[in-house]
Each structure stands twice: as C-alpha cells, then as structure tokens.
Amino acid sequence: MDEDATVGVCNFTFPRMPVQSRVNASRMCTSLISSRTHMPRGGAIFEVSRILDAKIAEKAGACAIVLSQSICFCNSRMIDPSLIAKFKAAVSIPIIARVRVGHVVEAETLQAVGVDFIDESEILGTADKENHINKGDFTCPFICGSTNLGEALERIKEGAAMIRTQGIESISGDIATTVQNVRSVMEDIKLLHNMSEEERLEFSGEIGVPSELAAQTGRMGRLPVVHFAAGGIVTPADAAFMMILGCDGVFVGPEMFDWPDPYKRARGIVEAVNRYNDPNAVVVAMSGLN
Amino acid sequence: MAIVGVLALQGSFNEHIAALRRLGVKGVEIRKPEQLRNVTSLIIPGGESTTMAKLAESYNLFPALREFVKMGRPVWGTCAGLILLSNNAVGQKSGGQGLIGGLNCTVHRNLFGSQLQSFEAELLVPEIASSEGGPETFCGVFIRAPAILEVGKEVQVLADYPAPSNGLLEENVEEERRVIVAVRQGNILATAFHPELTADTRWHSYFLKMADDTGEEALSSPVAIPVDISCVQQPRNDLPIYR
C-alpha cells in the first residue's frame, strides 16, 4: 500500500485484499491505536468545505479540520479524493475525511490518499446497514459517532480510535440532543466507575456492551479513547459547556463559517475549549461575535 | 514534593502530568503568564504546535515563556514543544507560527509525514541509559513527528534516527542520512517523540534531575501560590498509554 502522504490522487493503487475481514493483517492493540491519537485532546476540530475556511480554521488554532463537499448532491458520499491534495497543500494541521458507515472501499481510498483520520460518519450516510467497518484492519485511525455508551464501546471494539458523541447536525445551533447524549455517556461511565468488577460484567450484559471494554472504562472512569462532542456547536459557550461535561474537545459544524467574522468566532471557540473553567475567559471569547 | 509546570494549551498535557505523578511529582497546568512564576521547570507537551502558538499569542504567553527559557530554567519540549523551542522551523504553515526559541537548531515540522506515517521505534539512548539505568534503547512514539535537521555546536545529540525517504528533504538524501530526534542544550531538553505516551518514565526522571541540578534558588522571591479558581478543575482521567 502506498503510504506516501504526498502522492497525487491518480497514482494510488488499491491494496489487493478481500473486502471480508482481513484476519491476516496485523492488528494494532488498543493501547497503541489510542496512544497515537491523543493529540487532538483539548482542541477544536472544524468542518470546512472551502480552502479559505480551512485556512481560517488553522489560523484560529484549530487542531484539525474535517472536509465536506459543498455541492449538495454530493453531500452524502465520500469527498472527491482530488480535493484532498488541495487542502493538504493549503494547511499543515491534520485532515479528516468522512466515509459512509460500513463503506470499506471509501475508507481504503481515503487511506490510500493519506488523510490523517477517517470519520466513519452516520451523518454522511450508511452504506452497510448491518456492519460497521472493521477498523482494526486499517492503519489509518478512525473516528466514529455514538449517542450512548453502548454504541461508543461497540465502535471502540471495532477499532475506533476516537469517539464523536453526536447530537443533531443542523444550522439551528440546537445542542440539546448533543448535551443529552454526552450526559448519557458520562453518567453511564460514572455508574460503571463506581461498580465492582462483577457488577460491571452484569451491567455490560444489560446494556449490551463488550464486557472487557466496559471493565476498562469502569476502571479508568472515562472512555479509553479521545472523546469529542459534535452537533450544533457554534459558540464558545457551547464549546465550554461540552468541556465541562467532560469531553476532550469539540467538532464545529460548517455553519460556523456563515456567521460574521468566522475567524474571531473560531478563535473564541479554541480559547473556550482551553479555558472552559474560567468564566472571564469565556466572556472574552464570546464578546463581539455577532 | 517537587512541582513541575506543564503548558496546558492543548495536546498531551494530561499525559505528562500522569507520567510525573507516577514518579511522585506534581504537575501543574500552566495557562497564564503569571503562573510561570510558581514553577521552577516547564514541560511543553505534544499536540498541534499551531494551536498552542495561537493560544500562547492570545494569552500573551510568549514573552513570559521566552523569559523563562532565558533565565535558564529547565524546559522540556516534546514534539510540538520541540518545534516551539527551536530557533528555526521549516515546513511551517503559510505565514509561519510563533516560536518561543532558545534551542539552537533547525527543526522540520511533520518531517516523517502525516498521521498514517506515525510509528514506534527503538532508539539508542546511551545518555538516558547511563543517567537513569535501564535498557540502552527507548521505544519512541512518533506522531506526525518533526525532526531536527541541524544543531549548533553547544547542542548535545541524545538520539537520532534514519531520515525518511519521502522527498521532504530537498537535497539528495544519502542512504546513511540520519536526523536528530532528541537533544539537550544546557537547561533545554527536546524530543521529537512522545515519552509521555509510554510507560517508560526515564525521560521524565532525566528531566527531573535537570530540574534538581538547577537547584532551589529557583524562585527569586518567595511567592505564595495563589489559589486560581479558574484553574481548579476535576482531575481528568488518564487515557491508556502504550506499554
């Protein structure tokens, strides 16, 4: 497999492996996957569809960008790979691109092109109603969405290196579902943390989560991977709220760039993710945005 | 109990604090310039150097950080921290980024490539082994890692690694070309890899010895450490690290 990050899109070749689970491929242990993907912690990741917005996000302090394509009929599929090289040339921060749930070939394509993370995104769409991608077969780390602890741990069992607890993606800025889902995950983690090992085993059976991951989560008192929130987050106060709820960072939707002075807003979000516990800092981050 | 500052703008500051805790040392998150007065040594963690530089600029941290380095206080930069401490950086975002400087070297950002090119490697670390004991090698975790291309005479090379053949080094790369991945220059320690992501704490104990050697003349005048409410927070639980 060509791992050259600078390869032009016309030169990559697909790895010649069957679509079924590649049991002979080397699998990284969870701690290694996790160790390589700590770096977004404490950061804000911005969804962009234009080079200009990518540069604004980088300048404002984004720790990564997620690419989306602004042509509406293409919104439900993987981005045109030829666009990825343009974003890579434009910014130096990590680049994330999305694939539909279960779409192994979209994922192989993005890995061949050389993105930093692949987001197996239920928001983008679903290609396989029965199966998520077997992410442990890939060297590129994956981000997956969840709405509760059970889903989060299932995705981690499949090899997800980062979890995106997801609310509603809409331009209305409605974060109520995001907050509800983050709280649900955090409360179940807290319950697990306060249980004995036997109780954790029983609880994992009740809510249908892998028992060994439930045990690890309970012992650690957190998800064993980086955990961000997503869905309707467009203000520094929203971002700070997610950090107070216990997230490691936030995803910000592309609607942020439709607001006046997106640079200032993005910078405010980056600052609020860092200084979420300081109301005075959040005041500064929120002021003069509209 | 010794107290070490850890720059807490973004990235792996929790991981450094956890490593220090395993050595019985308290790590204090640093977000404001005045907080640097309360610590006698500083770790600048891995993460996105552009994010950290942006926040350091917003919070007016650069003057205080540069002063901290100039005063000879022990400072250790890992990955992004190495970039920030370097006098020269290539491969930067367009327009460049703020640097603290102090380390006489030229660093190349992301020399080893993107996240996909992240790797672990056994590095020969004779200085660490002789100072801290343990094996002659150390497992370095390299994530979108930078590397040092050249150093000044006063800089001690602690570890190097074969240069990647990805075309990012402009000149003809000889087969034997190596790049530098760990250095020490007096009070400054810098690593391109992430010791905070492995269970081997020898780099942290080596840095703590640097902090001890500088001595307790540290604080110029006794300063009561103020209770900063904005920094009081629930301890963040640790992510698993590579064992």
Side-chain angles (χ1 to χ4, degrees), chain A residues 47-287:
Chain A
E47 184 181 337
V48 300
S49 58
R50 299 178 300 180
I51 300 281
L52 173 66
D53 294 342
K55 289 185 174 180
I56 290 172
E58 182 185 48
K59 192 175 167 207
C63 72
I65 52 171
V66 183
L67 303 185
S68 61
Q69 203 155 354
S70 54
I71 303 168
C72 60
F73 65 81
C74 276
N75 254 353
S76 58
R77 296 172 185 77
M78 181 191 91
I79 193 173
D80 182 337
S82 65
L83 296 179
I84 294 174
K86 294 184 178 155
F87 281 94
K88 275 192 184 196
V91 297
S92 63
I93 55 178
I95 290 176
I96 303 165
R98 293 186 175 134
V99 302
R100 288 173 277 174
V101 170
H103 206 310
V104 172
V105 178
E106 283 187 348
E108 288 173 350
T109 309
L110 289 182
Q111 180 167 268
V113 170
V115 299
D116 293 286
F117 286 79
I118 295 170
D119 188 342
E120 185 180 22
S121 170
E122 70 285 6
I123 304 294
L124 188 70
T126 296
D128 187 334
K129 289 182 185 173
E130 305 293 325
N131 306 291
H132 277 72
I133 294 169
N134 208 348
K135 293 165 270 289
D137 289 338
F138 288 74
T139 45
C140 188
F142 277 74
I143 302 165
C144 283
S146 73
T147 58
N148 57 57
L149 182 62
E151 286 177 14
L153 294 184
E154 275 299 330
R155 305 289 84 81
I156 294 169
K157 184 183 177 191
E158 289 158 5
M162 184 168 162
I163 289 294
R164 168 180 42 78
T165 289
Q166 184 67 51
I168 294 172
E169 289 288 344
S170 82
I171 58 172
S172 69
D174 178 2
I175 61 167
T177 308
T178 310
V179 169
Q180 180 181 42
N181 292 341
V182 169
R183 280 198 189 279
S184 157
V185 171
M186 298 304 184
E187 279 159 16
D188 279 348
I189 291 176
K190 197 170 166 188
L191 277 175
L192 268 178
H193 187 53
N194 293 329
M195 288 179 183
S196 67
E197 289 288 346
E198 291 78 20
E199 286 167 335
R200 281 177 195 148
L201 192 58
E202 202 181 313
F203 184 77
S204 66
E206 278 168 26
I207 65 170
V209 303
S211 59
E212 65 283 1
L213 275 176
Q216 184 184 19
T217 300
R219 282 194 296 273
M220 292 171 60
R222 59 156 296 138
L223 284 182
V225 301
V226 173
H227 180 204
F228 274 38
I233 299 164
V234 285
T235 72
D238 291 344
F241 191 0
M242 298 304 154
M243 299 304 288
I244 284 174
L245 290 176
C247 294
D248 294 319
V250 298
F251 285 88
V252 181
E255 62 272 17
M256 198 221 64
F257 292 95
D258 297 332
W259 286 81
D261 204 342
Y263 165 74
K264 195 168 181 191
R265 181 174 288 265
R267 199 181 79 184
I269 289 171
V270 169
E271 289 173 7
V273 166
N274 184 245
R275 298 243 197 141
Y276 59 90
N277 252 335
D278 181 352
N280 294 323
V282 179
V283 166
V284 170
M286 288 285 293
S287 296

Side-chain angles (χ1 to χ4, degrees), chain B residues 104-150:
Chain B
N104 187 7
C105 74
T106 298
V107 69
H108 192 306
R109 245 189 106 197
N110 302 137
L111 181 72
F112 291 99
S114 71
Q115 179 77 35
L116 209 57
Q117 282 77 44
S118 300
F119 63 97
E120 295 70 37
E122 290 296 323
L123 304 169
L124 270 173
V125 290
E127 169 75 8
I128 298 299
S130 82
S131 170
E132 307 305 307
E136 284 284 312
T137 59
F138 178 90
C139 180
V141 177
F142 291 79
I143 303 169
R144 291 172 46 90
I148 297 171
L149 302 181
E150 54 189 18

